Amino acid sequence: MRKIFKLVIGICFLGIFASCEDYLDKSIETELTKEEVFKNFDSAQGFVEEMYAMIVDYSTAAHWQHFHCYAEDAVGIDTWQFDYAIDEGRYWEWQRSGPGSMFDGNTNTDAELPFDRAKLWPSSWAGIRKSNIVIADADSLMTGANQVEKDVVLGQAYFFRAFFHHEIMKFWGSIPYIDQVLEDDWKLERPAEWSETALKIDEDFQRAVDLLPVDWDDPDFEPGLKSRGENMFRLTKGAALSLKAKNLLYAASPLMQNSSSTYDYDVELAKRAADTFAEVLKMSRYSLTPWDEYESVFYSTQGRYPYSSEYIFSQAGSVGWFQSFLSTNWQLGAIGQNNLASFPTHNYIEDNFGMSDGLSCEDSPLYDPANPWENRDPRLYKWIVLDGDQMVENLGAATGENEVHRYAQFFREGAHRYPNKGNGSRTGYVAKKWFPVGFNNFDNQGVFAWRLHVRLTDVYLMYAEAALVAYGINGKPQGFELSALDAINRIRERAVPDGSLNVKPEYLVSDNAFMDEIRRERAVELSYESHRWMDVRRWKLGTQEKYRLKTEIIFDRNAEGKPINFVERVLRTKVFEDKHYWLPFPKNDTEIYEGFPQNPGW
């Protein structure tokens, strides 16, 4: 994102508990006075924009290349990666996970703000403090700004205060809502119920909705004129509505209800979520990207970040060194020796990517175990590399001894299969959602990738989940045209317009059966976008064996090159007990005073 005016403020990034006195000693006056920071719109906006850099990148290269696949969706090889610790149930490792993870237990009060790579724990607490500084002082001190400028600065601050609380709660559970700049009143009770803080988050998101513009590039919106054409990643009314609804859906979910049933939602919260998602879906600003352009949602090869009507809350991704790293480790034609990547698991592919008739592999008569990749949902072919797929755009670029790298060889003795190739596919699959075929050492095609936090597809899917709970399969919020069923079919019709992929009657016999189908659809459409681990947890499914197994598919090729003799083998079984639904808080934070208990089991 283009910086209007960058300010370096002496704000440490630390939670409100550990080393609290040191944290609170550092104030805005360390470098600049409040009057200097908030003297006009440009200066205040520069302070606010530092919070954009505190948003964790779940999707692209900034955290290596495993896309934070901590559920059953992928498996890595190197045992030092954090996803391996997650699989073993060693959640305390989040404090020692290092640069390859979105988690980092660094609580160094002298550390600089991590503008190059935000981390969930320190960056979120820093963002909460910064947003409270803005909310406390911006309106009264921005004497050189008009009301519209004050409103948009405050709207972003309210959004970020809500957002960073939500980010922490997704992984650690309930926390106190910090709505002021803390000085000597930091001993706050931890709420027993997720919803207590979630409802305060909701209030702040609503304030953001009221203050933020629909479009910063609107010619009538004066604050966006200076950066017109470069505003696509700034916070908008649609982003605030989407996160407001997402927060409500999470609060309604089975895990947050402490339910023993995966289908037990809070109906009233789900209704509020569905109604809010409907407001987003009514906005003409957003539309689903056509099927033949779908790749543009995730990357560009045109040398810049193009606008997409599907972006609601996103940021520019990270490129640079990762281009060569990716092509030597993920893509075929690899020449590197390290294998830091994760690969799609066979169980995730078979359980979720169904058949061309809209049925699952388990239910469809089209599924043939001897030819498991035929007649499949077309999204399988769009996002997953299968054995035999072309992997070099210009075949003439891979010649001589490199000719073997033109097409994927994932069979048992294949050139791109682990352990025959040390950095080859471990499972028989490679994910290709985030890069084009030409992004390799032979074609050397450049790429720009995104950080996607909420896109329109996600809103349709979350709407369907909330609307099913609130209104049933075919019910609709007042004044809105889509039911939960309509929303899922609209997504599927992007891939297959004739409706043959639409939800079949077999999945409409009950609300629970359709909920399972919504969840399967979410697994396909949002595959490898870092949603899965959170979804499995909030749905209270983590302890079930289906969501703990990680398997590979082993096969040979016959004389004609056709894959044969398919065998599924378990590579890893995740350790997941009830305590693994939440990460543990740092021990020091739970020992300073009574009233902030550790998560159960830790």
Side-chain angles (χ1 to χ4, degrees):
M1 160 173 252
R2 177 178 176 270
K3 298 281 186 182
I4 293 177
F5 191 92
K6 181 176 177 181
L7 303 173
V8 179
I9 307 297
I11 304 294
C12 70
F13 57 96
L14 178 65
I16 59 171
F17 308 112
S19 304
C20 192
E21 292 83 1
D22 292 340
Y23 176 51
L24 296 174
D25 282 345
K26 294 203 170 187
S27 68
I28 193 171
E29 291 83 9
T30 303
E31 303 262 347
L32 296 171
T33 66
K34 294 178 182 179
E35 288 73 18
E36 288 175 311
V37 171
F38 298 117
K39 62 184 178 182
N40 55 39
F41 171 71
D42 284 359
S43 182
Q45 181 63 23
F47 184 73
V48 166
E49 287 199 4
E50 290 188 337
M51 286 186 277
Y52 284 87
M54 297 174 181
I55 302 171
V56 165
D57 172 11
Y58 291 106
S59 303
T60 58
H63 292 286
W64 303 81
Q65 68 289 353
H66 51 66
F67 304 147
H68 309 303
C69 297
Y70 300 143
E72 87 288 17
D73 46 347
V75 65
I77 296 177
D78 285 300
T79 57
W80 62 270
Q81 288 177 270
F82 183 58
D83 53 356
Y84 184 76
I86 287 289
D87 284 350
E88 290 198 324
R90 295 183 286 112
Y91 282 17
W92 283 113
E93 290 298 311
W94 78 263
Q95 295 183 92
R96 298 178 287 275
S97 58
S101 168
M102 63 186 175
F103 300 104
D104 189 340
N106 182 7
T107 54
N108 176 11
T109 59
D110 295 320
E112 295 181 357
L113 291 173
F115 289 110
D116 61 333
R117 184 177 294 168
K119 298 287 188 174
L120 263 171
W121 182 260
S123 300
S124 295
W125 287 119
I128 291 170
R129 183 169 178 83
K130 281 179 70 72
S131 60
N132 277 324
I133 290 172
V134 176
I135 292 166
D137 297 307
D139 187 46
S140 61
L141 296 179
M142 287 179 68
T143 56
N146 60 42
Q147 192 59 50
V148 174
E149 291 172 331
K150 289 181 179 180
D151 285 350
V152 75
V153 166
L154 286 170
Q156 292 170 94
Y158 280 119
F159 179 99
F160 279 125
R161 185 166 74 180
F163 174 75
F164 287 123
H165 278 91
H166 179 70
E167 285 286 271
I168 295 170
M169 286 174 61
K170 287 193 305 184
F171 301 97
W172 284 275
S174 66
I175 57 172
Y177 200 68
I178 314 301
D179 59 2
Q180 59 183 306
V181 181
L182 297 179
E183 298 298 339
D184 56 2
D185 50 357
W186 48 269
K187 293 184 178 181
L188 304 176
E189 295 282 328
R190 184 184 177 196
E193 300 295 331
W194 167 287
S195 60
E196 180 177 332
T197 300
L199 291 176
K200 295 178 180 178
I201 290 174
D202 180 68
E203 292 175 0
D204 268 356
F205 276 134
Q206 184 58 52
R207 293 185 180 102
V209 170
D210 296 338
L211 294 170
L212 290 171
V214 172
D215 185 353
W216 279 70
D217 280 340
D218 186 325
D220 294 328
F221 184 64
E222 184 180 346
L225 295 181
K226 285 186 178 181
S227 51
R228 191 171 183 184
E230 300 180 15
N231 289 318
M232 66 177 291
F233 297 119
R234 297 185 191 276
L235 296 176
T236 63
K237 194 177 299 291
L241 279 169
S242 298
L243 267 296
K244 172 183 167 70
K246 182 177 181 178
N247 170 62
L248 290 168
L249 174 61
Y250 276 35
S253 295
L255 175 63
M256 291 67 177
Q257 296 302 311
N258 295 315
S259 173
S260 59
S261 170
T262 186
Y263 304 111
D264 188 8
Y265 288 74
D266 183 292
V267 176
E268 180 57 33
L269 289 173
K271 181 180 183 298
R272 290 176 59 181
D275 293 352
T276 307
F277 282 128
E279 293 303 308
V280 181
L281 295 173
K282 291 177 186 177
M283 298 177 75
S284 59
R285 173 180 170 84
Y286 307 114
S287 61
L288 292 175
T289 302
W291 178 252
D292 58 359
E293 301 173 11
Y294 201 3
E295 287 82 358
S296 68
V297 174
F298 304 99
Y299 61 78
S300 169
T301 60
Q302 305 305 311
R304 62 169 295 144
Y305 303 110
Y307 170 79
S308 172
S309 61
E310 197 157 330
Y311 299 155
I312 296 178
F313 178 33
S314 59
Q315 293 177 282
S318 179
V319 287
W321 66 270
F322 191 66
Q323 177 172 346
S324 60
F325 192 86
L326 182 62
S327 60
T328 59
N329 285 274
W330 269 76
Q331 259 188 307
L332 309 186
I335 58 175
Q337 297 302 312
N338 294 325
N339 193 348
L340 304 178
S342 295
F343 298 97
T345 55
H346 177 67
N347 51 284
Y348 188 77
I349 298 296
E350 290 298 284
D351 288 344
N352 298 295
F353 286 84
M355 305 300 294
S356 60
D357 59 3
L359 294 170
S360 68
C361 293
E362 181 181 10
D363 296 334
S364 176
L366 296 179
Y367 183 72
D368 180 1
N371 298 289
W373 302 319
E374 293 186 359
N375 300 313
R376 296 293 291 272
D377 183 324
R379 293 171 292 183
L380 174 67
Y381 311 121
K382 187 171 277 287
W383 302 136
I384 304 296
V385 182
L386 303 175
D387 182 70
D389 284 356
Q390 183 173 329
M391 284 301 294
V392 178
E393 194 167 81
N394 177 10
L395 294 177
T399 60
E401 64 180 12
N402 289 320
E403 188 172 332
V404 67
H405 300 309
R406 292 179 174 180
Y407 298 93
Q409 295 187 21
F410 293 155
F411 59 97
R412 191 190 305 266
E413 300 301 327
H416 310 117
R417 184 63 182 260
Y418 179 86
N420 305 321
K421 188 169 189 61
N423 55 6
S425 173
R426 180 64 187 267
T427 62
Y429 303 95
V430 166
K432 60 177 178 180
K433 201 168 203 177
W434 297 98
F435 53 88
V437 171
F439 191 50
N440 61 63
N441 283 342
F442 305 116
D443 294 316
N444 292 312
Q445 188 175 51
V447 67
F448 282 67
W450 322 132
R451 304 175 184 180
L452 301 177
H453 299 280
V454 179
R455 60 185 179 95
L456 188 58
T457 303
D458 191 11
V459 170
Y460 271 110
L461 290 162
M462 289 190 289
Y463 167 75
E465 182 180 346
L468 174 62
V469 174
Y471 298 104
I473 294 173
N474 293 299
K476 307 168 187 177
Q478 185 175 3
F480 190 53
E481 62 178 7
L482 295 181
S483 66
L485 176 59
D486 295 331
I488 298 301
N489 285 339
R490 180 162 292 188
I491 292 174
R492 293 189 178 187
E493 286 166 3
R494 165 167 48 189
V496 185
D498 67 9
S500 59
L501 197 64
N502 286 5
V503 178
K504 296 300 180 287
E506 290 91 325
Y507 305 125
L508 301 175
V509 295
S510 69
D511 285 359
N512 289 355
F514 185 45
M515 180 64 79
D516 290 342
E517 188 67 354
I518 291 174
R519 292 172 177 180
R520 185 169 74 88
E521 180 66 21
R522 187 169 175 84
V524 173
E525 272 290 338
L526 300 181
S527 58
Y528 310 107
E529 296 182 43
S530 303
H531 295 283
R532 185 63 175 177
W533 191 47
M534 187 64 221
D535 283 343
V536 168
R537 288 169 47 241
R538 71 180 179 88
W539 292 333
K540 207 73 180 295
L541 294 171
T543 57
Q544 295 184 21
E545 184 178 43
K546 176 180 178 180
Y547 302 94
R548 295 192 297 115
L549 294 178
K550 296 190 174 189
T551 70
E552 64 175 328
I553 186 72
I554 303 172
F555 56 95
D556 303 306
R557 282 185 181 177
N558 63 18
E560 290 74 39
K562 181 180 174 59
I564 58 173
N565 303 329
F566 291 92
V567 178
E568 182 179 15
R569 185 175 71 178
V570 175
L571 287 171
R572 191 178 298 168
T573 301
K574 290 173 61 67
V575 174
F576 199 105
E577 303 168 3
D578 283 341
K579 70 176 184 179
H580 293 114
Y581 281 112
W582 301 114
L583 291 174
F585 284 97
K587 291 182 178 179
N588 288 343
D589 293 357
T590 61
E591 295 173 354
I592 295 177
Y593 63 93
E594 292 185 5
F596 197 90
Q598 181 60 273
N599 279 326
W602 298 107

